Amino acid sequence: MPSTTLLKSKGASGAAEQTVQHLIRGRRSGGGGRTAPVYDPATGAIAREVLLADKDTVKAAVSAAQEAFPAWRATAPLKRARVLAGFQRLLEAHQDEVCALVTAEQGKVLADSRGEVQRGIENVEFATYAPQLLKGEHSCHVGPGIDTWSEFQPLGVCAGITPFNFPAMVPLWMWPMALACGNTFVLKPSERDPSAALYVAELALQAGLPPGVLNVVNGDKEAVDALLTDPRIQAVSFVGSTPIAQYVYARGSAEGKRVQALGGAKNHAVVMPDADMAGTVRALMGAAFGTCGERCMAISVAVAVGDETAAALIDGLKAEMARMKVGPGTGDRCDMGPLVTRAQLDKVRDYIDQGVAQGASLVVDGRKLELPANRDGFFLGPCLFDHVKPDMQIYQDEIFGPVLCVVRVSSLGDAMALIDAHPYGNGTCIFTRDGESARYFAAEIQIGMVGINVPLPVPVAYHSFGGWKRSLFGDLGAYGPDAVRFYTRRKTITERWPAAGAREGTAFSFPSHQ
Ligand code: NAD
């Protein structure tokens, strides 16, 4: 099975280190010279290393994809979909291995990894419907003997650059649909947890994907820049933090590529006085602290409408947080695992210090968490701040850790003004029993994905995912119908077959239906 082949033991030193390689032209490959450590976040130990591709390695991957393109493009859509359907079956059969790799390198608890992988599988399933989605548009008899149709053609070689927080799912937002549409692909996963994406790509090869159709290069900025400047890459899908998303969008667009770049977030949940408080508390617990807060759809701000609502919410959250079990992702019935790296842990702790220094009330202090058996792991307990103000750094920035901020406001209008003023626009939700408030909120709020009594309104695979404002650079979101449009370009053909013997004079005026 792929897991044993893609993690190559260095052998010579006899040490247990392993090296995560690239996958080019259907084969594992070296290349790049530099490496980065990959940690086990639960112990803090270096588990293995990952190769960091240089420009030549990226070039080799793009060449493989470029050479594989003509035959893959010419493969009938149904045959491409069948390969993906076979891959879906393999992925389902090997879910446990993928989840184990996600938990081992990202740190999230196994149940959470299972949710991630299941969502990825649903994206593959949607990609198998591509023949239906690629059928195009046809208009008969738009003029005398004239028909017009639009067809959706593949772009060529596409690239995907993905973040650490969903190492299995986010790549599956991209390449299955890109391939289903007839493109070939070069994926660059996060160098912090690269193994799951590589394992999954090898499953696709096993399912019959021709070599070169899907390539994986591991790496950092050097590899990303090589992808952005290679003229053979037609389109780039990026998911990650907003500063890098903006960079990738600007650089890739300047190189004439089609780019979609999904960025960071600060997602608010509005809690109305009439909300079912017990249900709201349970929902916010998962949305704020699942994946240790390392989700672009995590709720990081609860906006309580009224002081009574805030008091009830905080009482409920405190009680639930006291019951939370934090520990290794593989641990029995743990609710929350560690952060991904020590740098991420330090960054989150620094935000907590800043919140305290700027006057927010730290109601639950996760810094006090002690796990004697995992002293060197990247653990932090869940944190709750009350009386957070919009000018505080903990409110303005995406913290990406288990920190929930409560902001108190006096009306729904104030809550919505607060949310609209924030530069991010990924997700939001409202907890209420009042249909009128919910409907008004959904219609007017300046955010791309909205939940009504749903804390994580992550669209299902047959809708598309995308935020507004500084959470998405580009015009089309990820997966779903937007992905079909992103990975194809429309060609419109107008065809005339004059009736036998028909004669027309020369026309110098613009053709129209006058
Ligand atoms: P990141 O921006 O640090 O890294 C994302 C990718 O960019 C990685 O593959 C990385 O190697 C590459 N990269 C990093 N620095 C680079 C540079 N200077 N130049 C070129 N490439 C570079 O993001 P991350 O920390 O891996 O992931 C967390 C972020 O991703 C959060 O901000 C989160 O909100 C966001 N995210 C967004 C979505 C979404 O759909 N909007 C989904 C998941 C994660």
Side-chain angles (χ1 to χ4, degrees):
M1 279 300 103
S3 61
T4 52
T5 58
L6 62 87
L7 302 172
K8 188 186 132 214
S9 173
K10 282 181 97 181
S13 65
E17 297 154 81
Q18 297 166 306
T19 304
V20 185
Q21 299 186 306
H22 316 295
L23 185 67
I24 299 176
R25 228 177 275 278
R27 291 204 183 140
R28 283 168 294 122
S29 113
R34 293 183 304 129
T35 61
V38 178
Y39 293 93
D40 173 355
T43 64
I46 295 176
R48 55 190 65 92
E49 63 178 11
V50 57
L51 292 181
L52 301 177
D54 57 9
K55 208 172 171 188
D56 287 342
T57 309
V58 172
K59 266 189 182 165
V62 179
S63 297
Q66 176 88 346
E67 285 159 32
F69 176 61
W72 184 245
R73 182 200 156 152
T75 303
L78 197 59
K79 286 192 174 171
R80 296 196 297 249
R82 274 191 199 137
V83 175
L84 288 165
F87 162 62
Q88 183 190 334
R89 288 191 292 274
L90 268 182
L91 191 51
E92 282 164 349
H94 294 283
Q95 274 184 70
D96 288 350
E97 291 92 318
V98 183
C99 293
L101 287 170
V102 170
T103 292
E105 294 184 353
Q106 201 284 336
K108 64 181 74 176
V109 298
L110 275 173
D112 197 18
S113 296
R114 276 193 278 277
E116 158 172 2
V117 173
Q118 180 54 35
R119 279 285 186 137
I121 290 170
E122 288 164 17
N123 284 109
V124 180
E125 186 173 9
F126 184 68
T128 65
Y129 308 153
Q132 164 74 4
L133 302 165
L134 291 169
K135 280 196 310 197
E137 301 155 351
H138 193 108
S139 296
C140 269
H141 202 61
V142 297
I146 302 176
D147 306 321
T148 286
W149 74 91
S150 296
E151 57 187 48
F152 295 95
Q153 298 195 344
L155 304 171
V157 182
C158 301
I161 301 156
T162 54
F164 78 83
N165 63 330
F166 285 101
M169 179 184 76
V170 173
L172 292 173
W173 285 2
M174 300 176 179
W175 66 256
M177 185 55 86
L179 266 48
C181 293
N183 303 282
T184 55
F185 208 86
V186 180
L187 173 71
K188 202 231 51 88
S190 170
E191 65 277 34
R192 284 185 262 182
D193 46 13
S195 296
L198 199 52
Y199 179 94
V200 168
E202 289 209 332
L203 288 180
L205 288 175
Q206 257 188 50
L209 205 60
V213 169
L214 172 64
N215 306 276
V216 181
V217 288
N218 285 299
D220 55 9
K221 179 174 169 51
E222 187 176 343
V224 172
D225 285 343
L227 288 169
L228 293 177
T229 51
D230 192 314
R232 297 168 298 171
I233 302 262
Q234 304 299 320
V236 177
S237 298
F238 172 90
V239 176
S241 61
T242 286
I244 311 299
Q246 194 166 11
Y247 166 75
V248 166
Y249 184 75
R251 187 89 195 257
S253 303
E255 297 283 338
K257 302 182 193 315
R258 182 179 289 193
V259 186
Q260 57 174 187
L262 285 74
K266 193 79 175 177
N267 306 309
H268 300 62
V270 178
V271 184
M272 296 294 284
D274 65 354
D276 161 15
M277 193 50 79
T280 302
V281 165
R282 282 195 301 274
L284 289 188
M285 287 294 296
F289 305 123
T291 319
C292 212
E294 293 170 319
R295 288 180 185 150
C296 66
M297 289 293 276
I299 291 294
S300 48
V301 184
V303 189
V305 177
D307 283 331
E308 271 181 37
T309 309
L313 177 67
I314 284 173
D315 282 352
L317 287 168
K318 272 168 67 177
E320 288 288 323
M321 288 167 78
R323 279 194 280 272
M324 264 180 76
K325 197 170 165 209
V326 182
T330 49
D332 262 358
R333 291 190 303 276
C334 278
D335 301 306
M336 192 172 90
L339 287 149
V340 68
T341 54
R342 179 156 302 282
Q344 187 71 14
L345 173 64
D346 291 346
K347 186 179 124 187
V348 178
R349 289 185 75 109
D350 188 51
Y351 272 116
I352 298 164
D353 296 345
Q354 285 186 55
V356 173
Q358 292 187 336
S361 316
L362 185 54
V363 179
V364 179
D365 186 354
R367 295 173 301 182
K368 293 179 179 155
L369 175 81
E370 283 182 17
L371 291 177
N374 291 76
R375 213 179 291 278
D376 297 322
F378 311 137
F379 290 96
L380 178 68
C383 298
L384 181 64
F385 275 110
D386 191 9
H387 298 290
V388 174
K389 305 286 183 227
D391 59 351
M392 293 177 179
Q393 215 61 46
I394 53 168
Y395 175 76
Q396 288 175 359
D397 294 357
E398 179 185 46
I399 297 175
F400 228 52
V403 182
L404 179 60
C405 295
V406 175
V407 179
R408 297 174 178 228
V409 297
S410 53
S411 67
L412 175 60
D414 288 350
M416 291 173 66
L418 179 83
I419 296 169
D420 286 347
H422 202 285
Y424 290 119
N426 220 34
T428 188
C429 61
I430 186 169
F431 289 92
T432 183
R433 288 187 166 102
D434 177 39
E436 188 184 359
S437 304
R439 199 162 182 276
Y440 177 72
F441 180 80
E444 299 299 327
I445 201 76
Q446 298 299 298
I447 300 286
M449 293 171 281
V450 180
I452 296 168
N453 298 318
V454 172
L456 293 175
V458 178
V460 291
Y462 41 100
H463 285 252
S464 295
F465 182 108
W468 288 8
K469 301 190 273 186
R470 290 181 62 76
S471 294
L472 171 66
F473 301 88
D475 304 313
L476 292 167
Y479 66 80
D482 273 13
V484 182
R485 291 293 167 262
F486 184 79
Y487 293 121
T488 57
R489 56 186 161 192
R490 177 190 273 108
K491 180 180 278 180
T492 303
I493 297 137
T494 302
E495 184 182 66
R496 178 164 177 253
W497 295 106
R503 285 174 68 94
E504 277 177 35
T506 305
F508 291 97
S509 57
F510 197 64
S512 72
H513 281 285
Q514 270 175 13

